[in-house]
Amino acid sequence: APPRRSPDAQAWEPVTPELLRPARFALETYNRGRVAGARAVLGAVSGRVRRAGGGSLYSLKATVEEPPCSDPMVCRLPVSKKTLLCTFEVLDELGKHRLLRGDCGPVDAKITDDKNEISSSFFPLLNKDPLPQNFSMEMVSLFKHFITTYNRTYDSEEEAQWRMSIFMNNMVRAQEIQALDRGTAQYGVTKFSDLTEEEFRTFYLNPLLKEGPGKTMRLAKPIDDP
Amino acid sequence: APPEWDWRNKGAVTKVKNQGMCGSCWAFSVTGNVEGQWFLKQGDLLSLSEQELVDCDTLDKACMGGLPSNAYAAIRTLGGLETEDDYSYHGHLQTCSFTAEKVKVYINDSVELSKDEQKLAAWLAKKGPISIAINAFGMQFYRRGISRPLRLLCSPWFIDHAVLLVGYGNRSDVPFWAIKNSWGTDWGEEGYYYLHRGSRACGVNVMASSAVVD
């Protein structure tokens, strides 16, 4: 039998006016805080949309062209590397857009081969306002506390740095999840805070479950009214 | 259904376990259910072996994932479950070392439960903890409280984690399911996850099942 396909799953589609709106919104967020002339521009866009209730969730892939930049303290990429491949998730609720996720990394092979460069995440909360001056220090302090609490050891200084950058991105992501939760849950540092989403899925979750219930079982008899 | 219920207070739930870096949640969900069913039928709470399922359930894929429905079938084919003490958990696939002589618990059948949360609550209160599967959105960073992600972000079509419903109730008028997870007691509320009840949050209602012990 063919694999079960969820009714809201869609193939990636080339850009349409509907996809362009959330893509432009994502780019605006990406560019927030930059002066004219230093802003990145949108290249190719493709995407898909899932709808439920009054909202739509757009998953987008886009190339983003960075303007030439010569200041190494400011540039996202070295001078010769201008194109980024980004994935965005934009939620549209009643016409109001929110950027839930944004990950950008170099697009060309030469850059991808360079192991010193990694895809980096950015999130709306990081871009919404200028970061507080002590943001990094607070994060470092939180990360140190995390290492002590969960007894973490890393093989090298490089790995520790890499894990800290994941931790920082995860903290911002936890804030986003917190902001969108309609219950009373609190999200924040957990023992999984130094894992990428991909690592977390691979090590702790169960991809087979979405294939369906598996073996057919008989339906349980309902409980009678006492 | 009664307004609230908690099998933890009634001795039907073993301590929170830890699956480690292994996608064996399906095994923990099913053994948790069988532990509860055995307790309710035989009056004896035994901690049962997940490693037996990881190693010997050839219908599933050990640390790469599995389905509760397959696990029930495997338990019946094998002849039952050994205890945690006799076949302890290592968190990776090993050669199957199941021995029928050590079986302490058997099951006779397995059933699929209603997708109606009210009926699930009624079933739980009368029959015991329920094996379920959910979309784990946000659980990487969950600390406490009742989780209620937007349906759009926590779609019932992307189920990726099996757990155990052990109770339900209300906290300050917010209805919840009490869910036993298998990520150790240093995650969530002493290893438990609380999810909004009545809104089909994260697909909590889509894959409910139970073993049957006669």
Side-chain angles (χ1 to χ4, degrees):
Chain A
R4 225 172 60 155
R5 194 176 155 86
S6 63
D8 55 354
Q10 283 192 358
W12 288 87
E13 291 173 355
V15 65
T16 64
E18 192 194 357
L19 291 178
L20 209 49
R21 271 193 296 275
R24 283 181 179 148
F25 174 79
L27 185 74
E28 271 175 35
T29 312
Y30 179 88
N31 276 329
R32 196 165 282 155
R34 295 193 191 191
V35 295
R39 291 180 190 133
V41 295
L42 211 52
V45 178
S46 66
R48 58 188 174 192
V49 58
R50 295 204 302 269
R51 297 177 210 283
S56 303
L57 179 66
Y58 295 93
S59 300
L60 305 167
K61 288 178 184 170
T63 56
V64 168
E65 305 291 334
E66 285 283 358
C69 175
S70 54
D71 182 350
M73 299 298 287
V74 175
C75 305
R76 280 176 186 258
L77 293 170
V79 182
S80 59
K81 302 167 183 175
K82 294 179 183 170
T83 305
L84 293 167
L85 179 62
C86 298
T87 57
F88 301 115
E89 287 211 344
V90 178
L91 177 68
D92 176 356
E93 273 194 305
L94 305 172
K96 190 180 172 199
H97 290 95
R98 301 182 78 153
L99 182 63
L100 304 181
R101 297 212 62 192
D103 296 287
C104 292
V107 72
D108 60 287
K110 186 179 158 218
I111 297 168
T112 312
D113 287 342
D114 185 344
K115 290 194 168 55
N116 291 323
E117 291 194 17
I118 47 163
S119 165
S120 62
S121 296
F122 71 95
F123 294 92
L125 290 181
L126 275 180
N127 292 275
K128 202 168 277 176
D129 299 302
L131 289 173
Q133 280 189 332
N134 59 354
F135 177 82
S136 294
M137 287 178 65
E138 279 180 16
M139 282 291 163
V140 170
S141 167
L142 255 181
F143 185 61
K144 283 181 178 168
H145 188 252
F146 163 82
I147 286 173
T148 312
T149 305
Y150 296 107
N151 205 18
R152 283 288 187 283
T153 52
Y154 301 114
D155 289 340
S156 62
E157 179 65 23
E158 286 73 30
E159 195 196 348
Q161 290 290 337
W162 163 235
R163 290 293 160 195
M164 190 168 80
S165 71
I166 294 168
F167 179 89
M168 289 169 75
N169 279 328
N170 279 342
M171 287 305 94
V172 179
R173 184 147 177 256
Q175 279 185 57
E176 270 296 319
I177 293 168
Q178 180 75 66
L180 293 166
D181 194 279
R182 289 174 176 175
T184 62
Q186 291 175 26
Y187 301 87
V189 179
T190 69
K191 63 178 176 178
F192 305 122
S193 288
D194 64 344
L195 299 178
T196 64
E197 187 178 355
E198 186 64 28
E199 287 172 325
F200 180 71
R201 287 189 169 284
T202 305
F203 298 141
Y204 296 98
L205 300 182
N206 179 351
L208 295 189
L209 286 166
K210 66 171 176 286
E211 303 295 326
K215 278 189 172 293
T216 308
M217 295 181 285
R218 68 180 171 87
L219 275 175
K221 203 175 142 215
I223 299 300
D224 295 330
D225 190 322
Chain B
E4 59 184 25
W5 198 268
D6 195 335
W7 281 112
R8 289 172 293 184
N9 305 332
K10 300 170 201 309
V13 184
T14 57
K15 64 178 176 47
V16 169
K17 303 180 187 183
N18 194 340
Q19 68 188 66
M21 290 172 77
C22 169
S24 52
C25 57
W26 56 278
F28 285 85
S29 175
V30 165
T31 56
N33 167 260
V34 177
E35 287 165 356
Q37 291 302 306
W38 190 259
F39 171 79
L40 286 164
K41 283 283 156 54
Q42 307 291 335
D44 206 6
L45 182 67
L46 297 173
S47 186
L48 300 174
S49 172
E50 293 78 26
Q51 192 68 43
E52 177 188 327
L53 290 174
V54 169
D55 296 343
C56 311
D57 170 358
T58 52
L59 298 169
D60 288 305
K61 293 187 178 171
C63 291
M64 306 294 284
L67 297 169
S69 57
N70 289 344
Y72 298 126
I75 294 170
R76 291 184 71 189
T77 306
L78 287 163
L81 283 170
E82 295 184 30
T83 62
E84 203 78 73
D85 287 343
D86 284 341
Y87 200 148
S88 57
Y89 189 69
H90 290 92
H92 56 85
L93 179 62
Q94 306 173 134
T95 308
C96 176
S97 56
F98 170 78
T99 43
E101 292 73 35
K102 288 184 179 171
V103 164
K104 295 290 192 309
V105 164
Y106 59 83
I107 65 172
N108 299 86
D109 199 358
S110 58
V111 285
E112 180 185 336
L113 304 182
S114 170
K115 291 182 171 49
D116 179 317
E117 284 181 85
Q118 188 62 24
K119 288 179 181 167
L120 275 182
W123 200 97
L124 179 140
K126 186 160 184 194
K127 300 273 195 173
I130 297 171
S131 167
I132 59 157
I134 52 175
N135 181 331
F137 175 85
M139 288 177 72
Q140 186 178 357
F141 309 116
Y142 171 83
R143 289 173 62 85
R144 64 178 72 86
I146 301 166
S147 178
R148 192 181 181 188
L150 293 180
R151 187 172 170 78
L152 211 53
L153 303 177
C154 205
S155 160
W157 297 103
F158 294 93
I159 301 298
D160 53 12
H161 189 45
V163 285
L164 186 72
L165 282 187
V166 299
Y168 61 86
N170 294 277
R171 276 188 197 169
S172 308
D173 291 334
V174 182
F176 67 82
W177 289 110
I179 294 174
K180 186 186 183 191
N181 199 359
S182 49
W183 293 345
T185 52
D186 57 350
W187 176 90
E189 291 194 26
E190 297 294 317
Y192 281 83
Y193 179 53
Y194 291 84
L195 184 62
H196 188 263
R197 177 168 55 96
S199 57
R200 295 168 290 153
C202 300
V204 67
N205 60 322
V206 299
M207 211 188 280
S209 64
S210 176
V212 176
V213 177
D214 291 334

